[in-house]
Amino acid sequence: MSTVKTSTASALSGAEAFPHRHLTGIAGLQPHEISFLLDEAEQWVDLNRKASKHDDRLAGLTLINAFFENSTRTLLSFEIAGKRLGADTVNMHAAQSSIKKGETLIDTAVTLNAMRADMIVIRHASSGAVQLIADKVDCPVLNAGDGRHEHPTQALLDALTIRRRKGSIAGLKVVICGDVLHSRVARSNILALTALAADVRIVAPPTLMPPDIERMGVTSFTDFDEGIAGADVVMMLRLQSERMGGGFIPSLREYRAFWGLTPERLSRAAPDALVMHPGPMNRGVEIDSVVADDPSRSAITEQVEMGVAVRMACLDVLTRRRRGVPGWA
Ligand code: CP
């Protein structure tokens, strides 16, 4: 399986290349700022493929990962990213925290800040919770997923995966299919991929299609066979049963029949179409195992690999100012 690396480095350097204090979303980022983070991640892909994966640029800094919702990929990859860059990395699990005793989110943020964290990564079930914390603390805050709002590092790792596999993103037909209504992954990906000039098509059942989605610069379809025709990238979304009160889909069987990625449906895409899924997958619902596990088509494990590199890039870039890196102080 070959990969293509394409740098689109901006002419801007130092803090001008990425002037933001936090990473709360893709919204508000310029295309060149997104490309800058992807370019920065390339060096970490290379490091992560070596036997020794250590760089000490964050030595002496403290990273707190505060996760108020479950996670495997995002939590572990932020933890690995922090450790590979030499930061003192600690994880706060909501189930064992004083949140369970009724402590508020704001008081939790103030407490983490008082411990002089240098970076805080937050996952929370409420849209906007990450911005609330960012407004209360003195250090960079990174959004690891807030409600239905955004999951910016997922979109960055997806963009990096696509860029490396396809050479560039501009002009690619990217289909995002599934539970778009509840998906922060879809929202961040739409923002990132349209900023990078992809032709983004959204496919969802009518009940899981956000109203006015086309205002985000995408084309929408309820017929998957129509939406997938000629696609270069097919990104499937998890059916988020935990965010549904019921009544969104008739049955899992019917959902698979109309909106599941089967080999037959994939044959309508471009012959070299890339299959993606942010995970965790509902196998046999939104995606068939025979498709998800086909190494010639599926980039799902590569997405996980790119996740570590992208999170290393974000931690590095967002702490340059406080580390006094020349051009960033
Ligand atoms: N894609 C993603 O956010 O996965 P986790 O919930 O396992 O972090």
Side-chain angles (χ1 to χ4, degrees):
M1 190 185 312
S2 67
T3 57
V4 181
K5 293 184 192 177
T6 302
S7 174
T8 53
S10 157
L12 298 172
S13 63
E16 287 185 333
F18 196 84
H20 306 277
R21 185 163 169 250
H22 305 290
L23 182 64
T24 54
I26 299 295
L29 299 188
Q30 298 298 316
H32 71 265
E33 294 166 353
I34 297 171
S35 294
F36 173 74
L37 291 176
L38 304 187
D39 293 344
E40 287 287 323
E42 291 287 359
Q43 66 189 298
W44 305 122
V45 177
D46 295 339
L47 180 82
N48 291 339
R49 290 181 175 180
K50 292 182 178 162
S52 175
K53 305 172 181 61
H54 199 69
D55 179 291
D56 64 359
R57 69 185 59 196
L58 300 190
L61 301 191
T62 300
L63 164 63
I64 298 180
N65 295 317
F67 277 58
F68 300 89
E69 266 192 340
N70 291 345
S71 170
T72 297
R73 291 151 201 80
T74 314
L75 174 59
L76 283 181
S77 59
F78 266 117
E79 184 175 4
I80 291 169
K83 286 180 171 168
R84 285 190 184 162
L85 292 176
D88 298 317
T89 303
V90 290
N91 297 335
M92 192 202 88
H93 298 280
Q96 292 135 27
S97 74
S98 289
I99 289 276
K100 288 286 170 198
K101 300 178 202 164
E103 187 163 47
T104 67
L105 187 60
I106 298 285
D107 284 341
T108 304
V110 169
T111 301
L112 301 185
N113 198 48
M115 292 173 183
R116 297 194 174 271
D118 296 293
M119 304 150 268
I120 300 178
V121 176
I122 308 280
R123 171 169 285 192
H124 199 279
S126 299
S127 303
V130 176
Q131 186 61 56
L132 198 70
I133 291 176
D135 292 341
K136 293 284 172 197
V137 301
D138 302 320
C139 68
V141 170
L142 295 91
N143 183 355
D146 63 329
R148 301 181 191 185
H149 176 228
E150 282 229 41
H151 192 350
T153 55
Q154 179 69 46
L156 292 169
L157 74 88
D158 289 337
L160 183 62
T161 305
I162 296 170
R163 197 178 79 167
R164 288 174 62 88
R165 281 289 196 108
K166 296 290 185 184
S168 67
I169 291 174
L172 290 180
K173 286 180 188 164
V174 181
V175 173
I176 302 176
C177 175
D179 181 1
V180 182
L181 185 67
H182 299 102
S183 179
R184 56 198 178 204
V185 172
R187 187 173 157 73
S188 288
N189 261 300
I190 291 169
L191 290 166
L193 294 170
T194 55
L196 298 175
D199 168 9
V200 180
R201 302 166 175 198
I202 299 299
V203 178
T207 50
L208 295 174
M209 182 75 82
D212 299 333
I213 189 80
E214 296 205 342
R215 284 198 191 166
M216 295 187 78
V218 301
T219 316
S220 65
F221 301 83
T222 51
D223 183 333
F224 196 3
D225 290 334
E226 194 185 339
I228 201 173
D232 300 299
V233 178
V234 184
M235 187 182 292
M236 301 305 297
L237 301 173
R238 184 171 68 87
L239 196 58
Q240 298 192 44
S241 307
E242 77 276 17
R243 297 193 205 279
M244 293 183 195
F248 284 92
I249 57 167
S251 68
L252 294 180
R253 190 175 159 165
E254 192 160 332
Y255 185 85
R256 175 186 174 273
F258 287 97
W259 294 285
L261 188 61
T262 61
E264 297 74 30
R265 197 158 271 135
L266 183 58
S267 70
R268 295 172 180 268
D272 61 347
L274 199 60
V275 172
M276 301 177 73
H277 192 301
M281 291 182 274
N282 296 304
R283 289 173 178 270
V285 181
E286 71 260 5
I287 189 165
D288 281 9
S289 286
V290 70
V291 175
D293 300 335
D294 178 353
S296 71
R297 307 299 294 272
S298 172
I300 293 170
T301 54
E302 201 173 316
Q303 288 172 263
V304 178
E305 181 189 4
M306 295 306 123
V308 179
V310 154
R311 286 159 184 141
M312 290 170 84
C314 293
L315 294 176
D316 171 26
V317 168
L318 286 169
T319 55
R320 284 182 188 174
R321 195 166 291 116
R322 64 199 292 121
R323 286 186 284 131
V325 173
W328 292 78

